[in-house]
Amino acid sequence: MCNRCLVQCTRTEIEQPEVDELWVLFRAAHEQYQSQIVNGKKLYHRFVNDFISYHLPYFGQDEHRIRMHISNVSSLYELLTERHDLIKRFFTKENFTYEDCQAMLREFNTVELVYDHSRQMARFNDDQIILLMKYINEEKLFDHDIDEFELRGFFSCTLKESLVARKTTWLLLLLNALAHEKLLVRGWQKLIVENQLLKSNKARKPITKSAISSNISRKRNVLCQSGSELDPFKSLIIKLKEYVK
């Protein structure tokens, strides 16, 4: 197996006649995820690219081992990029066991993830998510810096816990501008309320439909006196549209 991967093995595992390389790769990825994502501030896509590029290419004399190593790294790359639900469920655990790895692989290989797109606010690609995340965190729209998983969960309406809006009105105006440009579905306000995606910073209670409407209307009147309500977000929207695939 890959000498780089062997570094991740314990002495006991190395002394075994054969090492499950896929398990070693997954455990190494989990350790790096914990260090760089859970306990660090590295962007998720940079973590993925750096990890995969570190384990490729593979050099050796055994053609079978070369093929198996490439196959294992490819499987891990596909899981890291296509099954964020499994990464969120398993890699956020402090301890990642062999049984966890097997359960993760079993679901990855046998259960197809089905999205109900009619219940989502938006379907942004990786580049758009990163762009929005940077803008939202720079503007401090929430009470903490959100990561890619939280933002995906917000737009896909799959968050387990509500996000607390620090600048509620500005956030709602941003969402309204995205909807105006058809980057969000028309019923985005209803989806936020039904799925309890947002809480206000003061009340710490799920935001209501009337609160969304009143926040947008009140600020819209102020903005429209000096220009379009879309003006503050024009630059962001142009960049988002550049990443449409």
Side-chain angles (χ1 to χ4, degrees), residues 177-194:
L178 295 176
H180 184 276
E181 295 297 313
K182 296 182 172 55
L183 293 170
L184 260 60
V185 299
R186 292 177 60 184
W188 65 273
Q189 298 183 21
K190 181 180 179 182
L191 290 174
I192 285 179
V193 174
E194 287 182 348

Side-chain angles (χ1 to χ4, degrees), residues 44-55 77 80-81:
Y44 181 76
H45 78 287
R46 292 305 317 152
F47 149 73
V48 173
N49 291 339
D50 288 348
F51 185 87
I52 296 301
S53 63
Y54 181 79
H55 289 86
Y77 177 75
L80 288 170
T81 54

